[in-house]
Amino acid sequence: MTTIKQKKAESYVNNVIEQVKEKNPNQPEFYQAVQEMAHSLIPLFERVPHYMDYAILERMVEPDRMITFRVAWSDDDGVIHVNRGFRVQFNNAIGPYKGGLRFDPSVNESIVKFLGFDQIFKNALTDQAIGGGKGGSDFDPKGKSDMEIMRFTQSFMNELSKYIGPNVDVPAGDIGVGGREIDFMVGQYKRLRGAFEKGAFTGKGIDVGGSLMRTESTGYGAVYFAEQMLKHEESDVEGKKVIVSGAGKVSLYAMEKAVELGATVVACSDSSGYIFNEDGLDVSAIKQIKEEERKQISSYLDYDENATFHEEGRIWEVKCDLAFPCATQNELDEDDAKQLVENGVTAVVEGANMPCTEKAIQYLQNNDVRFGPGKAANAGGVAVSALEMAQNSSRVYWSFDEIDGMLKDIMADIYKKSASAAKEYDVEGDLISGANIAAFKKVADVMVAQGII
Ligand code: GLU
């Protein structure tokens, strides 16, 4: 039976969602992220109505500011190009804005805002003092020379430098932005500032002031999260057949850790197709192709004569026990979910940000597939970013093993918090709702304490 409190919470949430739709036309990804979060908060609002009185959700969906700017740069032939730069500073209730920069032609206001919004909650789950932000550009780094990347990045930083700093906003990498790009940014920022503020960025090269294990942390963290989920079912990653989409940092290190824990990774993909080997892929060869040679995944066949390359078809058609979508948003839809279920998948863990569509998630959950939501499962990257900030400000650096231990503890804690919030709010087993409620409460309580701002 629907109670009055429940009705009130539902209509409040629907109203906020409608307002977001009205005020942000043509931003489907942002709308999708808000909708997922808002719906899972109904049981919380029912029990703690003061969050509605304080208009916390309405305040959260409106970023503190959205910065857009022109990025003009010239290529190696002297041809001038103009791209658009973005930084959304969403919420700094619990710490400086923190989140990555994405360089990809698909980047627009909707993408940056969905990522920035989710980042608030992901960061809160890590229990580190970091707020939520995100940025990037519609610049396509594929096929560009090092010098072109440097000139673009310097031009990008000429504008972004006005808005960031170790206690203000701390960018990092995301799709298309790795150590090379971050180090160029550190260089240009230092020059513009006239000060050595390396804590203004994370994901730096080790000699530039980066942290050990930052590169591996998102992928390793996703597998640690999967271990926690499976432990609950008295199972583990060992002996499982795994598929991992994507061939960026997240995917490469998720595969590496899964293999280390005794799983067989049978397929992985990039934008050109997927590779498959029933007996397991050689992750070090894939790393070589992607990180050193920067080639398409099909060249893996040069290293493994028993593997096959599939240009047509989708990786989700490969039979597996565990699937890690680690490429990009909405890469796994309802049909893919059906295929996975038909093939007997037992758990799906999101290494990327919002890789599963709402319908795909619903289908998986309705068919008893354990689901690890990205906000929780891929928080390991930003968690180690916060550890990088801590090392930069204390000037004391930790070993790989020390950081690995901290990451394991953080991922176990995120799982525990999400699972117990789900239980407390009568949605036991639903880690999406649990993670959303736990994260929202953490930020909301601080916003209440800080007054109406
Ligand atoms: N881009 C990563 C994410 O989606 C990392 C952000 C960071 O380290 O600030 O969480």
Side-chain angles (χ1 to χ4, degrees), residues 62-189:
E62 193 61 46
D64 287 356
R65 63 198 63 80
M66 174 82 203
I67 302 150
T68 62
F69 50 94
R70 180 183 63 248
V71 188
W73 59 283
S74 58
D75 66 23
D76 289 345
D77 299 323
V79 178
I80 296 168
H81 301 266
V82 178
N83 286 95
R84 184 170 289 173
F86 299 89
R87 186 73 182 167
V88 64
Q89 297 182 331
F90 233 111
N91 186 302
N92 65 354
I94 62 171
Y97 307 108
K98 179 85 198 83
L101 296 169
R102 178 177 290 191
F103 289 170
D104 190 78
S106 65
V107 168
N108 58 32
E109 199 169 320
S110 175
I111 299 285
V112 169
K113 276 164 70 179
F114 111 67
L115 290 164
F117 181 72
D118 275 2
Q119 198 84 41
I120 307 170
F121 306 103
K122 184 199 303 197
N123 294 2
L125 283 173
T126 67
D127 254 344
Q128 306 287 317
I130 42 179
K134 200 86 186 191
S137 173
D138 56 3
F139 169 74
D140 188 358
K142 283 200 192 86
K144 302 287 188 297
S145 70
D146 280 356
M147 286 300 110
E148 287 173 330
I149 297 281
M150 184 189 75
R151 283 195 297 277
F152 172 81
T153 306
Q154 289 179 339
S155 179
F156 183 84
M157 196 38 57
N158 287 346
E159 188 60 26
L160 189 67
S161 61
K162 298 171 189 166
Y163 307 101
I164 61 174
N167 297 313
V168 181
D169 183 354
V170 183
D174 196 83
I175 295 172
V177 178
R180 173 182 58 170
E181 291 73 17
I182 293 290
D183 289 350
F184 285 148
M185 289 189 216
V186 172
Q188 185 72 352
Y189 177 79

Side-chain angles (χ1 to χ4, degrees), residues 243 274 313-320 323 332-345 348 360 363-364 367 369:
I243 61 174
Y274 74 86
R314 294 163 72 73
I315 188 171
W316 313 118
E317 67 199 18
V318 175
K319 192 170 163 44
C320 66
L332 195 162
D333 64 20
E334 194 180 11
D335 287 340
D336 300 322
K338 284 183 182 160
Q339 181 96 65
L340 284 166
V341 169
E342 211 177 292
N343 285 336
V345 76
V348 174
Y363 191 86
L364 294 169
N367 285 278
V369 176

Side-chain angles (χ1 to χ4, degrees), residues 4-75:
I4 293 178
K5 281 185 172 172
Q6 192 181 345
K7 265 198 176 146
K8 201 178 150 204
E10 274 172 12
S11 89
Y12 171 79
V13 158
N14 289 334
N15 198 22
V16 174
I17 294 171
E18 274 318 301
Q19 276 181 35
V20 167
K21 208 172 190 179
E22 233 170 73
K23 284 193 185 175
N24 304 276
N26 304 319
Q27 297 188 10
E29 293 85 4
F30 177 47
Y31 176 68
Q32 182 183 343
V34 169
Q35 179 155 279
E36 183 213 282
M37 167 56 71
H39 277 150
S40 47
L41 298 176
I42 293 172
L44 174 69
F45 292 161
E46 238 181 283
R47 279 200 223 167
V48 196
H50 86 225
Y51 292 132
M52 294 189 283
D53 303 334
Y54 278 97
I56 299 292
L57 186 59
E58 284 129 292
R59 288 196 268 150
M60 277 185 184
V61 296
E62 193 61 46
D64 287 356
R65 63 198 63 80
M66 174 82 203
I67 302 150
T68 62
F69 50 94
R70 180 183 63 248
V71 188
W73 59 283
S74 58
D75 66 23

